[in-house]
Amino acid sequence: MIVKNFVEKEQYYDSVFLMRIAASLGEMPGIIQVSAGMGTPLNKDTMKELGVLDTSGEAASINDMVVGISADTIEVAEAAYASFLEMLKEKKKKTSNAHKTVEQAANANPDLNLAVVSVAGEYAAKEGMEALKKGMHVFMFSDNVPIEQEVELKQYAKEHRLLMMGPDCGLTFLDGTAIGLCSKTRRGNIGIIGASGSGIQEVMCIVHRKGYGISQAIGVGGRDLSDEVGGITMLQSIELLENDSETAVIVLISKPPAASTMEKVLSAVKTCRKPVVVQFIHGDADQIREVGAYPTSTFLETAEAAIAFSQGKQPATHHVEVDEVLAKEECKKLAKGQKYLRGLYCGGSLAEETLTLIGSQLDELHSNVTFGNIIPMDNPFVSQGNCLTDIGAEEFTKAHPHAAIDPTIRVQRLIREAADPECAILLMDVLLGYALNEDPAGVMAPVIARLKAENGKEGRGLCVIIALCGTDLDPQGYEAQKQAFEASGAIVMDSNEKAATLATKILTLKMERDGE
């Protein structure tokens, strides 16, 4: 094995783009590991951990792009780098008219009113402030931005009647345009504001598939509701949607805000002239009712309540029916020794919803996402007992693209879980939309089919349940993805709550059958 670094001086490329190229190179014969990024201390540390950093990469500056490759031979590494350069050349062709700075773009087109910032955290605030000063709203995908810089950006934006969405903002849907890792839905009269990317997307998609639509969906960033930030963007957004003639109902989605920020948000909700549906994950429902809002506990319930209010109706009591026949059929396929549920999730909020739904039914449930009675995993890379792993968490994305962009990490984990003779059910979410993997079923469905066949030969079943989050307007196509997964033998549900409820029912039947 050899390790070779290739350094491009004074060249900047988006980190997600570089990770995608690195992932594709990693599939070449003879390649052991590939990592690509700017020469920041954090990126160098990551490359060192992966065993792909040499002295030339170590000497690179933060303005240099570094590609680290470990391969069987130097010839293989050089061939991979040649392919890397070809991909960069194609990227440059597609962006030949691109501007190098926010200022250049603003000067070339004074009508621009939104900037998307996706650069390393140490540079993000500077670019965001430049865009704000040019009169643009900002969607900031970047994370690791110092919180004092976030406060400065948001206060400036508020003073100039602009929206500062982020840092660490996964998605936004403005005037029918999907921004970030987002699904596309029809326009309607339901407005959403949230600090939960996958939660916003789940509600958007359920609303769409039920025949209704979204006026705006505004992501505020993961720390907006901390007391340090004080909910600046959420409070702005509530006022914006309250005064928006196209919005009939407002939906708030996040973990419970910090104490003083909670008071500010609930005060704004109390005086809001429009119906407000609130899902503060694991939050206090009575506290929400006291200010006249409608509390919900799942994303499906949130979508159904929002639809009802958007039509001038009161929400019906929420209840999910389980397909008893399907649950019994799946239970019959499982061997006696199969007794555990394994969840592999990309969306952090969907993972938390699932933990809430199934955790109350099981004596022990392990996860790398912990709250309440959830037991911390000893190692997030190794499942134990009934277990749900958020593979979108930081420990999985440090050196790889997010699993919703590149399913490789999940495929590897699927193979390991299916080989465990005690694994009965594999439960996972699949996210469709812009900037996400272009064909997740194309990558995962053949693997699922093979694993089910292999388990069958060994006398075991393998129940695979997928919560498919997307719409027919997404580039992947909801129905095409659904059909491909179902052809592999997987069960596809149109909401995460339904998927988790079915999984819990099958596991309960299995325990009752075997007296466990």
Side-chain angles (χ1 to χ4, degrees), residues 95-110 112 127 136:
T95 59
S96 58
N97 295 322
H99 300 286
K100 300 297 183 183
T101 67
V102 171
E103 183 177 11
Q104 286 179 7
N107 291 339
N109 185 354
L112 291 175
E127 300 300 329
M136 299 183 198

Side-chain angles (χ1 to χ4, degrees), residues 68-107:
I69 300 175
S70 60
D72 291 341
T73 66
I74 187 65
E75 291 78 14
V76 170
E78 290 175 344
Y81 184 60
S83 296
F84 184 90
L85 293 178
E86 284 298 317
M87 295 180 196
L88 288 186
K89 190 182 296 184
E90 288 299 315
K91 171 75 170 178
K92 288 179 179 178
K93 286 180 183 178
K94 294 178 182 178
T95 59
S96 58
N97 295 322
H99 300 286
K100 300 297 183 183
T101 67
V102 171
E103 183 177 11
Q104 286 179 7
N107 291 339

Side-chain angles (χ1 to χ4, degrees), residues 416-492:
R416 291 207 306 273
E417 301 295 356
D420 182 351
E422 293 186 316
C423 175
I425 303 169
L426 286 171
L427 174 64
M428 58 185 179
D429 60 345
V430 173
L431 308 179
L432 309 181
Y434 291 85
L436 292 157
N437 187 270
E438 59 190 24
D439 184 16
V443 177
M444 290 188 282
V447 177
I448 292 170
R450 175 170 62 82
L451 294 175
K452 288 177 72 70
E454 290 174 355
N455 274 26
K457 290 178 182 178
E458 296 176 6
R460 303 195 308 271
L462 182 65
C463 178
V464 180
I465 303 174
I466 293 172
L468 186 58
C469 180
T471 76
D472 58 314
L473 301 180
D474 286 333
Q476 300 89 348
Y478 183 88
E479 282 301 319
Q481 292 289 307
K482 179 175 183 288
Q483 291 172 15
F485 277 119
E486 288 179 337
S488 75
I491 300 168
V492 179

Side-chain angles (χ1 to χ4, degrees), residues 43-311:
N43 285 342
K44 290 179 186 179
D45 287 345
T46 299
M47 293 176 72
K48 187 180 294 184
E49 289 178 14
L50 293 172
V52 293
L53 185 70
D54 66 14
T55 54
S56 62
E58 185 67 55
S61 79
I62 60 174
N63 297 314
D64 302 335
M65 181 183 69
V66 183
V67 181
I69 300 175
S70 60
D72 291 341
T73 66
I74 187 65
E75 291 78 14
V76 170
E78 290 175 344
Y81 184 60
S83 296
F84 184 90
L85 293 178
E86 284 298 317
M87 295 180 196
L88 288 186
K89 190 182 296 184
E90 288 299 315
K91 171 75 170 178
K92 288 179 179 178
K93 286 180 183 178
K94 294 178 182 178
T95 59
S96 58
N97 295 322
H99 300 286
K100 300 297 183 183
T101 67
V102 171
E103 183 177 11
Q104 286 179 7
N107 291 339
N109 185 354
D111 293 330
L112 291 175
N113 64 359
L114 174 70
V116 176
V117 177
S118 178
V119 299
E122 56 261 51
Y123 313 118
K126 176 180 178 296
E127 300 300 329
M129 184 59 77
E130 185 173 344
L132 290 170
K133 289 181 176 179
K134 292 294 182 181
M136 299 183 198
H137 304 286
V138 173
F139 172 89
M140 187 173 285
F141 187 76
S142 307
D143 57 5
N144 296 313
V145 177
I147 197 161
E148 61 272 15
Q149 293 181 352
E150 177 173 348
V151 173
E152 181 183 6
L153 289 166
K154 291 192 169 185
Q155 286 178 340
Y156 183 94
K158 178 183 176 182
E159 291 166 4
H160 294 81
R161 300 188 65 79
L162 296 168
L163 280 178
M164 178 66 220
M165 296 163 280
D168 192 24
C169 190
L171 64 86
T172 281
F173 183 75
L174 298 178
D175 291 344
T177 300
I179 303 167
L181 309 180
C182 186
S183 281
K184 185 173 179 61
T185 69
R186 70 173 61 83
R187 298 296 303 284
N189 62 358
I190 296 172
I192 305 175
I193 308 164
S196 158
S198 59
I200 293 174
Q201 185 175 2
E202 174 83 342
V203 173
M204 286 176 63
C205 293
I206 294 171
V207 166
H208 175 90
R209 291 198 301 270
K210 287 181 176 292
Y212 300 88
I214 305 299
S215 57
Q216 313 288 343
I218 303 171
V220 301
R223 297 182 305 197
D224 188 70
L225 296 170
S226 66
D227 278 344
E228 292 93 335
V229 181
I232 294 173
T233 304
M234 177 166 279
L235 294 170
Q236 277 185 276
S237 301
I238 292 172
E239 180 182 2
L240 187 154
L241 293 186
E242 183 179 3
N243 294 313
D244 176 27
S245 61
E246 296 182 358
T247 299
V249 56
I250 299 171
V251 177
L252 305 183
I253 302 173
S254 78
K255 295 179 183 178
S260 65
T261 303
M262 175 72 89
E263 292 181 12
K264 297 176 186 177
V265 172
L266 292 180
S267 178
V269 169
K270 186 174 184 178
T271 59
C272 185
R273 302 184 305 275
K274 294 179 178 178
V276 181
V277 177
V278 179
Q279 185 184 359
F280 288 158
I281 304 168
H282 320 304
D284 184 344
D286 290 336
Q287 195 176 22
I288 295 166
R289 289 191 190 94
E290 286 174 3
V291 296
Y294 190 89
T296 56
S297 58
T298 70
F299 297 120
L300 177 57
E301 181 185 14
T302 301
E304 291 174 346
I307 290 169
F309 282 120
S310 76
Q311 302 303 301

